[in-house]
Amino acid sequence: MSAVDTFEWYLASAAKNASPEVQHYIAGRRQYLFALRSEDERQRFVNDFIVEISSMISAKEKVSPR
């Protein structure tokens, strides 16, 4: 699976109910992803992004449960 596909798949499943602040952050990260030149760079970025955004989402849920 390509890095872009992984990025979009993860967001569709894990961040579908993310707060507006997190959605804004995701939009910026998506732009950065598309600016990367090699697939290896994209894969590293997406791996790090998933760890980072997972902790952001879980922290937001702890602060304001749904």
Side-chain angles (χ1 to χ4, degrees), residues 14-23 26 53 56-66:
K16 60 185 168 193
N17 297 322
S19 69
E21 297 88 14
V22 172
Q23 290 292 344
I26 290 168
I53 202 70
M56 286 176 72
I57 291 170
S58 66
K60 288 277 186 185
E61 288 174 352
K62 288 179 185 175
V63 171
S64 58
R66 297 177 197 241

Side-chain angles (χ1 to χ4, degrees), residues 16-57:
K16 60 185 168 193
N17 297 322
S19 69
E21 297 88 14
V22 172
Q23 290 292 344
H24 180 72
Y25 177 76
I26 290 168
R29 301 284 61 195
R30 183 179 281 116
Q31 287 179 334
Y32 180 76
L33 172 63
F34 288 124
L36 294 173
R37 291 180 169 221
S38 77
E39 183 64 15
D40 287 339
E41 287 179 288
R42 289 185 206 112
Q43 287 289 345
R44 281 191 296 273
F45 170 78
V46 169
N47 290 336
D48 292 343
F49 172 80
I50 288 173
V51 171
E52 180 181 15
I53 202 70
S54 295
S55 65
M56 286 176 72
I57 291 170

